[in-house]
Amino acid sequence: MFIVPTHPIPPLVRLPLQTMLKDIHAEINRLAKSKGSKPKFRKVFQSIDKDGGGQVDVSEFVEALGTMG
Amino acid sequence: MCACACLLPRRFKLSVRQVKQISLVFDADGTGNIDYDEFVRFCQFKDVASAVAASKAIKKKKKKPSNQVEERQPGSAFVPGGGGGGASKAAPAKGGMSFSPQELEVSRAQTRVFWGCPPLLHSLISRSLWYLSPH
């Protein structure tokens, strides 16, 4: 028996750097957005910084990019 | 343009080079890690182009050499006493060789004398310097 996916799987696309940066920028701002107050960048940063060291290293950064896309 | 295109989630296909490029835009001070200030700096810009430009400007500021010994190229004109004369502020370089101001001044004087000579004298000096050098 075959499992037929109901939703089409989007293809993997290679985007130009500017487009990708724009998307990342928009996504971070969307996540940080809060009602009636300043955007909570700290919350987003802490969710990326898994080990809580106060700095995001390359592996954490790649993981965050993966969850965004 | 099809309206349903925006409903589909877009999946990124990132190469190592692209990840590096993106992380470099975030990492303005070039430490290899992104700290909170850099993260916020990138996010607070209205558009990406200005964020990238700001990041590049910070990197340029950081890259300015502090204690580079000014050396004259063989083809260029010699200006006696010119080009980097005076007291120099020699800050110790990170992870590289550092010189005291006196050493730098001696080195500059030697360079000036060396490149300012005619070819025959030039070769004599270079030979004698080679014999004098500890090897």
Side-chain angles (χ1 to χ4, degrees):
Chain A
M1 193 176 135
F2 294 104
I3 300 164
V4 181
T6 52
H7 301 290
I9 300 164
L12 285 169
V13 283
R14 191 157 282 197
L15 300 169
L17 184 68
Q18 281 290 332
T19 316
M20 221 177 278
L21 281 171
K22 204 181 276 184
D23 285 357
I24 293 164
H25 188 266
E27 183 65 13
I28 292 168
N29 276 297
R30 189 186 68 77
L31 291 168
K33 214 173 182 179
S34 57
K35 284 178 186 173
S37 61
K38 283 183 179 178
K40 291 172 177 171
F41 291 118
R42 176 73 72 181
K43 209 178 84 182
V44 181
F45 184 79
Q46 280 169 350
S47 67
I48 296 171
D49 185 20
K50 301 280 181 195
D51 62 353
Q55 286 190 328
V56 175
D57 59 16
V58 179
S59 61
E60 289 169 339
F61 189 67
V62 171
E63 201 179 314
L65 288 178
T67 54
M68 274 183 199
Chain B
M1 196 180 155
C2 181
C4 64
C6 61
L7 296 174
L8 288 170
R10 201 158 30 170
R11 296 165 75 208
F12 293 127
K13 191 183 180 184
L14 287 167
S15 64
V16 177
R17 195 170 139 260
Q18 279 176 320
V19 170
K20 206 173 181 183
Q21 281 176 325
I22 295 167
S23 67
L24 279 174
V25 172
F26 276 87
D27 183 22
D29 60 356
T31 51
N33 293 330
I34 303 158
D35 58 17
Y36 178 66
D37 293 336
E38 290 166 346
F39 181 77
V40 171
R41 195 184 298 127
F42 175 80
C43 300
Q44 280 178 339
F45 279 104
K46 292 284 175 196
D47 59 331
V48 175
S50 52
V52 173
S55 171
K56 279 183 182 173
I58 293 166
K59 271 180 195 152
K60 264 190 183 178
K61 267 187 187 177
K62 293 255 174 186
K63 272 188 180 177
K64 270 188 181 177
S66 56
N67 63 342
Q68 204 175 35
V69 179
E70 200 171 308
E71 280 190 36
R72 212 180 136 257
Q73 294 300 314
S76 61
F78 175 69
V79 183
S88 58
K89 289 173 187 175
K94 270 185 184 176
M97 290 203 299
S98 58
F99 301 97
S100 69
Q102 286 169 337
E103 280 174 328
L104 272 177
E105 203 51 55
V106 168
S107 168
R108 279 203 185 111
Q110 281 175 348
T111 314
R112 252 178 251 142
V113 169
F114 190 71
W115 289 115
C117 297
L120 186 64
L121 198 57
H122 186 284
S123 66
L124 276 171
I125 291 171
S126 61
R127 253 181 239 176
S128 56
L129 279 173
W130 186 83
Y131 281 118
L132 287 171
S133 63
H135 56 268

